[in-house]
């Protein structure tokens, strides 16, 4: 899933949560706990809005280039002057 798809999914679920909070508010009345739930839900909505606004638009349209790696073994000539990292050079002492 892309970032845009994830944000859209969270927005839908948050809309469902807001509807449930409104129904619960009708049943529970104006209590301290209910005010806290309403405030928390509103804070979630604000935070998601900020996240959606700051999400990079280019990340949604970015294509991933696939690189194929051949099954054939590498040419050993590529590694003639290479040193094994951590093992030291065959001509010098390892630290």
């Amino acid at each position: 899933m892309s970032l845009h798809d994830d944000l859209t999914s969270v927005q839908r679920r948050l809309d469902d949560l807001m509807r449930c909070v409104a129904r619960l508010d009708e049943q529970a009345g104006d209590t301290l706990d209910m005010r806290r739930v309403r405030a928390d839900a509103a804070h979630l909505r604000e935070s998601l809005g900020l996240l959606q606004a700051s999400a990079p638009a280019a990340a949604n349209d970015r294509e991933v280039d696939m690189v194929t790696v051949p099954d054939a073994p590498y040419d050993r000539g590529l590694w003639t002057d290479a040193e094994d990292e951590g093992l030291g050079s065959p001509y010098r002492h390892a630290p």
Side-chain angles (χ1 to χ4, degrees):
M1 265 187 148
S2 71
L3 177 64
H4 177 69
D5 293 339
D6 288 339
L7 288 172
T8 303
S9 176
V10 170
Q11 181 65 51
R12 273 189 257 119
R13 285 174 174 78
L14 187 57
D15 291 341
D16 290 342
L17 175 68
M18 295 303 283
R19 283 189 290 275
C20 291
V21 167
R23 283 194 305 258
L24 185 62
D25 189 26
E26 291 173 2
Q27 295 173 1
D30 191 31
T31 64
L32 176 63
D33 293 331
M34 195 61 227
R35 280 183 277 173
R36 186 175 296 143
V37 169
R38 280 194 315 262
D40 289 345
H43 185 76
L44 272 174
R45 175 168 271 177
E46 290 173 20
S47 296
L48 183 61
L50 291 172
L51 183 61
Q52 287 172 328
S54 68
N60 297 335
D61 301 330
R62 183 179 53 176
E63 290 185 22
V64 177
D65 294 330
M66 298 296 287
V67 177
T68 52
V69 178
D71 291 332
Y74 288 109
D75 178 19
R76 290 196 175 271
L78 294 172
W79 311 110
T80 54
D81 286 345
E83 296 179 6
D84 290 329
E85 183 179 330
L87 299 177
S89 171
Y91 309 110
R92 289 178 270 161
H93 296 292

